[in-house]
């Protein structure tokens, strides 16, 4: 291989350029994620049973689900929580179970359960990191007129539902858009009892007339002079003006509309949910959460969302605004950027140290090229094997960055030595590479073999660490190929024919120190062995005492605060207290945004008050 590379340098150059081109293309297509895709072996079932006590839910729902799911393959255990009106069961399966098949089998079994009357349908949820929203924002508009919080919430809800939600749902990569804190808008008609009594009509009759006129749609197709005509029935009211002008009865030829039968300001929209509280920095707003499609990267989706929101806000004018509460893409970019920065710094330090020992810019440049080319080749292989760029895979790359120059250093040093012995550049490049080819190949394969058992691991551990093992294997394999092809080819063209430079004083001193340390360990074998065993035992003790976690903790710049009322408290008092807490938090240094919501129990909200999204620069 080395002989061919020296004799065919143009071929080697073309091969390296192909690798660089494919690598650059690949890195632009690789999805950016915080962690690898993890297949968690958990499934959650949620079953409603309106009006039932926790005891009834346990008897009629939880017990039946627990006895049924135990027949599924790879089943391990199930735990249930029975509450008023609903029950939750968390089913754990063996690590490595095919969760797609498990969910299908579970759904079939649950459909065959004969629940008691009143038990609703069972919802099945897979626990997955993809369940978390990739981005959460608060949307709101400011209005010129002085509105109450309820009026502002109603208008914001109408604005989002009519003008925004469809646009947001069409963003590339967005799988689902969910809204929280929106108003439950209903029409309130406050009839004047005296007036309707004079007309001899009842409340129920007025309501029925309104309902009968609230129709509109296509009812058929008719042929008219050879042309097809669409037939529509009714003219469904679309705004308050249409509702106010609805004809209710005929009084001697005069049409009496709904506005004639109500008190002053008797027709209006109200929020039926009187216990809705969602504010951002003290301003009434609505939270919108986005979940991504599985075949899109998080950073790609969050960028698409941000671009679309900016366009929407630009079209809506200065009154519309949004505030980002959670952006996984931004945090991932920061985390991956930090790892990339460390990789670059490590590569630069490796080259500097190499130059200190070689004291020649040409061999330093040759060896230094091994790092970026190996990294680019690793990106290419990661793309073709569906390995994403995440903290684990980038951590593997950072771990192996110092080893990427090992093979090239061995080759260039041997070539350097042979040139010093009087051989020509071409002879030294071919012979020097051949001499060490077996050694560096064996060294590389043994390093890769250390990570080989990870490929045979199944389950969640494999999901986390396979990307790291593959990244290290790819980069080291690329560095071996470069050391046996590019390095001898460049050495034959760039190095000087004679290398008679004396060793530097630093290198001479280092060799003397190293020789003395080796002689000391050989003369004191027992002491050396004892010191090594003590260091090994101490390291094991420190690792065990520190504890183990699956993934490291991360700081995304947000703090969640949950406040629970110990006594029964009116909703207005809770809202007042939430305003007070928001004011206190906004006065703190480095706090940028405070999002506050109130929940009042039930199926979706099991905590009475939850303050979240306190974000800042710390």
């Amino acid at each position: 291989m080395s002989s061919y590379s020296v004799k065919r340098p143009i071929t080697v150059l073309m091969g390296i350029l192909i690798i660089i081109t494919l690598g650059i293309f690949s890195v632009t297509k690789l999805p950016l994620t915080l962690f690898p895709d993890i297949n968690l072996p958990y499934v959650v079932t949620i079953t409603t049973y309106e009006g039932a006590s926790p005891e009834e839910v346990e008897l009629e729902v939880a017990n039946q689900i627990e006895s049924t799911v135990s027949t599924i393959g790879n089943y391990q255990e199930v735990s249930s929580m029975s509450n008023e009106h609903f029950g939750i069961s968390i089913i754990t399966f063996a690590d490595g179970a095919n969760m797609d098949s498990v969910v299908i089998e579970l759904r079939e079994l649950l459909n065959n359960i004969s629940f008691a009357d009143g038990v609703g349908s069972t919802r099945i949820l897979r626990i997955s990191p993809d369940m978390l929203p990739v981005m959460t924002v608060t949307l709101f508009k400011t209005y010129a007129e002085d509105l109450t919080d309820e009026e502002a919430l109603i208008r914001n809800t109408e604005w989002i539902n009519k003008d925004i939600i469809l646009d947001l749902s069409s963003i590339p990569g967005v799988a689902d858009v969910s809204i929280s804190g929106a108003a439950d808008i209903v029409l309130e008609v406050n009839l004047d009892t005296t007036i309707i009594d004079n007309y001899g009509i009842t409340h129920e009759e007025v309501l029925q007339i309104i309902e009968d006129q609230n129709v509109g749609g296509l009812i058929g197709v008719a042929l008219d002079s050879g042309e097809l005509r669409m037939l529509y029935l009714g003219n469904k009211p679309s705004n308050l003006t249409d509702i106010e002008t609805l004809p209710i009865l005929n009084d001697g030829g005069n049409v009496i509309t709904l506005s004639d039968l109500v008190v002053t300001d008797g027709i209006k929209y109200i929020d039926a949910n009187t216990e809705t509280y969602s504010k951002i920095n003290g301003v009434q707003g609505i939270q919108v959460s986005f979940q991504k499609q599985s075949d899109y990267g998080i950073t790609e989706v969050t960028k698409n969302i941000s671009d679309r929101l900016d366009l929407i806000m630009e079209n809506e004018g200065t009154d519309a605004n949004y505030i980002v509460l959670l952006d996984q893409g931004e945090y991932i970019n920061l985390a991956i950027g930090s790892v990339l920065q460390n990789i670059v710094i490590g590569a630069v330090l490796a080259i500097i140290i190499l130059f200190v020992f070689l004291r020649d810019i040409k061999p330093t440049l040759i060896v230094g090229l091994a790092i970026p080319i190996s990294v680019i080749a690793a990106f290419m292989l990661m793309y073709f094997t569906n390995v994403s760029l995440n903290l684990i895979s980038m951590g593997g790359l950072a771990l192996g960055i110092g080893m990427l120059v090992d093979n090239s250093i061995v080759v260039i040093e041997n070539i350097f030595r042979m040139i010093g012995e009087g051989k020509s550049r071409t002879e030294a490049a071919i012979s020097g590479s051949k001499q060490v080819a077996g050694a560096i190949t064996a060294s590389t394969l043994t390093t890769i073999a250390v990570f080989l058992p990870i490929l045979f691991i199944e389950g969640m551990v494999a999901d986390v660490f396979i990307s790291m093992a593959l990244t290290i294997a790819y980069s080291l394999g690329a560095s071996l190929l470069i050391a046996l092809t590019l390095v001898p080819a460049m050495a034959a063209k760039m190095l000087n024919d004679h290398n008679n430079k004396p060793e530097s004083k630093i290198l001479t001193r280092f060799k003397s120190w190293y020789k003395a340390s080796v002689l000391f360990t050989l003369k004191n074998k027992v002491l050396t062995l004892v010191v090594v065993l003590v260091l090994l035992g101490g390291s094991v003790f420190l690792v065990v005492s520190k504890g183990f976690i699956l993934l490291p903790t991360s700081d995304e710049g947000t703090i969640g605060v949950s406040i629970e009322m110990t006594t029964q408290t009116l909703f207005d008092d809770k809202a007042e207290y939430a305003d007070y807490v928001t004011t206190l938090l906004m006065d703190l240094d480095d706090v940028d945004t405070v999002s506050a919501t109130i929940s009042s129990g039930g199926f979706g909200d099991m905590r009475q008050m939850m303050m979240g999204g306190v974000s800042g620069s710390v």
Side-chain angles (χ1 to χ4, degrees):
M1 185 182 293
S2 302
S3 176
Y4 180 86
S5 301
V6 171
K7 295 176 182 178
R8 301 286 190 275
I10 301 300
T11 303
V12 174
L13 177 61
M14 291 300 101
I16 295 299
L17 290 178
I18 290 173
I19 292 175
I20 293 174
T21 303
L22 290 175
I24 293 175
F25 169 79
S26 299
V27 77
T28 60
K29 298 295 183 179
L30 282 172
L32 273 175
T33 59
L34 189 60
F35 296 111
D37 292 333
I38 300 176
N39 186 32
L40 299 177
Y42 304 103
V43 176
V44 176
T45 65
I46 305 171
T47 308
T48 58
Y49 191 3
E50 294 294 336
S53 65
E55 292 78 10
E56 292 174 319
V57 171
E58 180 182 6
L59 179 63
E60 300 294 343
V61 176
N63 290 345
Q64 295 210 49
I65 291 178
E66 289 176 358
S67 61
T68 300
V69 300
S70 60
T71 62
I72 300 178
N74 292 317
Y75 163 83
Q76 282 193 339
E77 64 177 8
V78 58
S79 59
S80 300
M81 293 177 289
S82 300
N83 305 273
E84 289 186 2
H85 314 302
F86 70 96
I88 298 176
S89 295
I90 303 174
I91 309 163
T92 304
F93 295 91
D95 199 13
N98 187 331
M99 297 308 295
D100 293 330
S101 301
V102 164
V103 170
I104 294 174
E105 186 177 357
L106 178 62
R107 183 175 289 110
E108 292 178 355
L109 290 174
L110 293 179
N111 289 337
N112 293 328
I113 297 178
S114 298
F115 289 113
D117 292 338
V119 177
S121 60
T122 300
R123 206 174 155 199
I124 301 175
L125 298 176
R126 279 184 59 180
I127 302 299
S128 166
D130 290 339
M131 293 176 61
L132 298 174
V134 296
M135 194 169 185
T136 300
V137 301
T138 290
L139 295 174
F140 60 91
K141 260 188 175 184
T142 55
Y143 300 95
E145 59 267 40
D146 187 18
L147 301 178
T148 64
D149 286 345
E150 181 183 9
E151 292 171 339
L153 182 61
I154 290 174
R155 290 203 184 182
N156 283 332
T157 302
E158 289 180 327
W159 168 58
I160 291 175
N161 288 333
K162 291 182 179 179
D163 303 332
I164 305 297
I165 193 65
L166 289 178
D167 200 359
L168 296 179
S169 300
S170 65
I171 297 175
V174 172
D176 182 61
V177 180
S178 58
I179 297 176
S180 62
D184 183 11
I185 303 176
V186 298
L187 178 68
E188 181 184 70
V189 179
N190 193 357
L191 297 172
D192 189 320
T193 304
T194 303
I195 295 177
I196 64 173
D197 287 344
N198 292 336
Y199 285 112
I201 190 171
T202 64
H203 289 79
E204 290 74 14
E205 290 173 333
V206 173
L207 178 61
Q208 186 60 49
I209 294 172
I210 296 174
E211 288 288 344
D212 292 341
Q213 296 188 72
N214 187 33
V215 295
L218 180 68
I219 61 171
V221 180
L223 190 64
D224 180 17
S225 301
E227 294 184 3
L228 289 177
R229 302 291 184 185
M230 303 294 181
L231 302 181
Y232 292 88
L233 175 66
N235 186 18
K236 191 174 183 178
S238 58
N239 51 52
L240 279 180
T241 302
D242 292 343
I243 296 173
E244 291 171 350
T245 57
L246 281 177
I248 302 300
L249 53 88
N250 191 311
D251 182 31
N254 295 325
V255 177
I256 306 301
T257 64
L258 183 61
S259 60
D260 297 325
L261 304 178
V262 298
V263 298
T264 303
D265 196 23
I267 304 175
K268 60 183 178 180
Y269 289 119
I270 64 169
D271 183 6
N273 186 358
T274 58
E275 296 190 350
T276 298
Y277 181 98
S278 178
K279 290 187 178 181
I280 180 75
N281 291 342
V283 178
Q284 195 79 31
I286 297 172
Q287 292 186 13
V288 181
S289 298
F290 301 86
Q291 288 181 292
K292 76 176 187 70
Q293 297 175 7
S294 58
D295 55 341
Y296 279 80
I298 293 178
T299 53
E300 180 185 4
V301 176
T302 55
K303 183 180 183 304
N304 292 341
I305 295 171
S306 298
D307 292 343
R308 183 66 60 86
L309 285 172
D310 290 337
L311 180 61
I312 291 174
M313 296 304 114
E314 182 180 345
N315 295 334
E316 291 290 334
T318 57
D319 294 338
N321 202 352
Y322 76 94
I323 297 177
V324 178
L325 301 179
L326 169 67
D327 186 352
Q328 287 195 42
E330 180 182 5
Y331 181 68
I332 289 172
N333 285 327
L334 290 174
I336 300 297
S338 177
V339 175
L340 285 174
Q341 182 180 4
N342 292 332
I343 290 176
V344 172
I345 293 174
V348 171
L349 291 176
I351 293 174
I352 291 174
I353 294 173
L354 184 62
F355 179 74
V356 169
F357 282 93
L358 294 179
R359 295 183 300 125
D360 194 331
I361 189 62
K362 291 181 179 179
T364 302
L365 177 62
I366 294 172
V367 175
L369 287 175
I371 295 178
I373 296 176
S374 299
V375 171
I376 290 174
F379 286 150
M380 177 187 68
L381 295 172
M382 290 170 65
Y383 173 75
F384 288 118
T385 54
N386 296 321
V387 178
S388 64
L389 285 176
N390 53 71
L391 285 183
I392 304 298
S393 62
M394 296 302 292
L397 198 57
L399 181 64
I401 199 71
M403 296 185 287
L404 298 183
V405 294
D406 290 352
N407 295 330
S408 298
I409 289 175
V410 172
V411 172
I412 202 70
E413 176 63 24
N414 205 40
I415 295 173
F416 222 54
R417 180 182 61 83
M418 288 193 168
I419 291 177
E421 293 175 353
K423 290 188 177 182
S424 66
R425 291 178 299 177
T426 302
E427 283 182 315
I430 296 174
S431 301
S433 301
K434 283 182 178 180
Q435 281 187 357
V436 297
I440 62 175
T441 301
S443 174
T444 302
L445 292 178
T446 53
T447 304
I448 294 175
V450 172
F451 300 95
L452 187 62
I454 296 178
L455 298 178
F456 299 97
I457 298 175
E458 295 182 352
M460 190 163 49
V461 176
D463 296 336
V464 175
F465 291 108
I466 278 182
S467 60
M468 180 186 69
L470 290 177
T471 304
I472 294 176
Y474 294 156
S475 58
L476 292 181
S479 72
L480 175 63
L481 180 65
I482 290 167
L484 295 177
T485 55
L486 181 64
V487 170
M490 293 185 68
K493 298 293 182 182
M494 296 178 60
L495 295 184
N496 299 322
D497 282 324
H498 299 286
N499 176 31
N500 298 317
K501 289 184 179 182
E503 289 185 350
S504 65
K505 293 182 179 180
I506 296 177
L507 184 57
T508 303
R509 290 178 181 176
F510 178 79
K511 285 185 175 181
S512 299
W513 175 84
Y514 178 69
K515 180 180 180 181
S517 63
V518 171
L519 291 174
F520 177 82
T521 56
L522 292 177
K523 291 178 181 178
N524 301 273
K525 297 183 179 66
V526 176
L527 177 61
T528 302
L529 183 60
V530 170
V531 171
V532 171
L533 291 176
V534 169
L535 291 176
L536 177 61
S539 301
V540 172
F541 171 77
L542 291 176
V543 169
V544 173
S545 62
K546 189 69 176 178
F548 301 92
I549 58 174
L550 178 62
L551 297 174
T553 56
S554 57
D555 182 5
E556 298 187 13
T558 63
I559 299 174
V561 182
S562 176
I563 301 175
E564 182 177 349
M565 300 297 184
T566 57
T567 58
Q568 291 294 330
T569 308
L570 295 177
F571 183 82
D572 291 341
D573 294 333
K574 294 179 184 178
E576 183 179 353
Y577 185 68
D579 289 337
Y580 169 71
V581 174
T582 299
T583 303
L584 293 180
L585 294 175
M586 291 182 63
D587 290 338
L588 297 176
D589 295 336
D590 298 320
V591 170
D592 178 57
T593 302
V594 180
S595 171
T597 60
I598 296 178
S599 59
S600 55
F603 169 69
D605 303 308
M606 289 178 282
R607 290 180 294 184
Q608 283 190 312
M609 180 176 184
M610 182 171 59
M611 303 285 294
V614 182
S615 61
S617 58
V618 291

